[in-house]
Amino acid sequence: MKKYILIVLVATVLFSCKKEVKEKSGNEKLKIVTTTSQITDLVKALAGDKVALEGLMGAGVDPHLYKASEGDVTKFYNADAIFYSGLHLEGKLEDVFEKMRHQGKKTIAVSDAISKTDLISSADFASSYDPHFWFSVTEWKKVTKYIADELSKLDTKNAIVYTDNAKRYIEKLTVLEKSNEAQLEALPVEKRILVTAHDAFAYFGKVYDFQVVSLQGLSTATEAGVQDVQRISSFIIEHNIKAVFIESSVPVRTVEALQAAVKAKNHEVEIGGTLYSDALGNPGTVEGTYIGMYEYNMKTIVNALK
Ligand SMILES: [Zn+2]
């Protein structure tokens, strides 16, 4: 019912929007709304102060469960373009964005930058693909170029700025890839087993040769069951895994239940730290940027498992 009301609201707002002709003066900035903190950070890196940027989801916010408020709908209405992740990551927003797109609002799923063959398919997820692609730095480079191209089309007078910034940012991502490889030298392949709260790290696992095990599925909307906890606790003991990880955007209780289940079987497993999965850290901190988040996660994983 709530969703219905929201869609009606969106439709009404867009209808009234179509009636007025929006003319931008030469100095007026492009108004951009972004969903996840990863995308907000990237648009900030590419556009700097050339756009007026409004990021919806802050640190610790879970995109799978995020619902648009009335205030958000006003932000969508005022925006020249909305960048979102897509592939049903924002499970409760995607219908709204689809509807807006049909009504002429510029809504851009950044996952469109990636060809389907480079995505990890997942039969039981709504989009049929794993939406956590930002953990492949290679794919994030494609997203970088895609966003820069879209910004350039929307704001041609600053196109050179977006293109240059994208070039520089992609170079930084290459440096990140090298530093990831260097950090991983301390962790032999047999120790590369990553146990986390929800299934956000499959792309990470694919790139860096980790077996990834999680309590919840690709979305946090489904809670872990007692059987999952029992099965994974046995797996931890069997593989002599030193540490499991909590995630900043997922409640800690499932991982604590897992730790307790291991203890009940007379074994110990540490909590290796908090990983940033579907949201970055606080703005202004190192983990508040995509690159800082990735370095932090890598350091946390290697230190806890080596
Ligand atoms: Zn997720």
Side-chain angles (χ1 to χ4, degrees), residues 1 21 37-38 60 64 130 146 210 224 243 248 272 285 301:
M1 191 62 186
V21 181
S37 45
Q38 299 84 279
H64 299 288
D130 181 334
Y146 185 66
F210 274 75
S248 70
T285 66
I301 291 167

Side-chain angles (χ1 to χ4, degrees), residues 62-64 89 131-132 134 198-200 218-220 247 277-278:
D62 182 348
H64 299 288
L89 177 78
H132 303 88
W134 56 93
H198 96 295
D199 203 1
L218 285 173
S219 171
T220 52
E247 295 171 44
S277 52
D278 293 5

Side-chain angles (χ1 to χ4, degrees), residues 285-305:
T285 66
V286 174
E287 302 84 58
T289 66
Y290 171 86
I291 291 173
M293 168 282 287
Y294 214 117
E295 285 173 337
Y296 176 89
N297 278 357
M298 191 58 103
K299 195 164 66 188
T300 304
I301 291 167
V302 171
N303 283 344
L305 296 181

Side-chain angles (χ1 to χ4, degrees), residues 140-154:
W140 200 238
K141 286 180 181 176
K142 294 177 192 165
V143 171
T144 303
K145 186 168 182 312
Y146 185 66
I147 293 180
D149 288 348
E150 290 296 324
L151 287 172
S152 301
K153 279 188 248 167
L154 289 162

Side-chain angles (χ1 to χ4, degrees), residues 65 197 215-216 220-224 229 246-247 250-260 271:
L65 305 179
L215 279 157
Q216 288 166 275
T220 52
T222 320
E223 293 273 338
V229 172
I246 51 183
E247 295 171 44
V250 183
V252 68
R253 61 177 182 271
T254 46
V255 174
E256 284 175 346
L258 180 63
Q259 193 182 29
I271 303 243

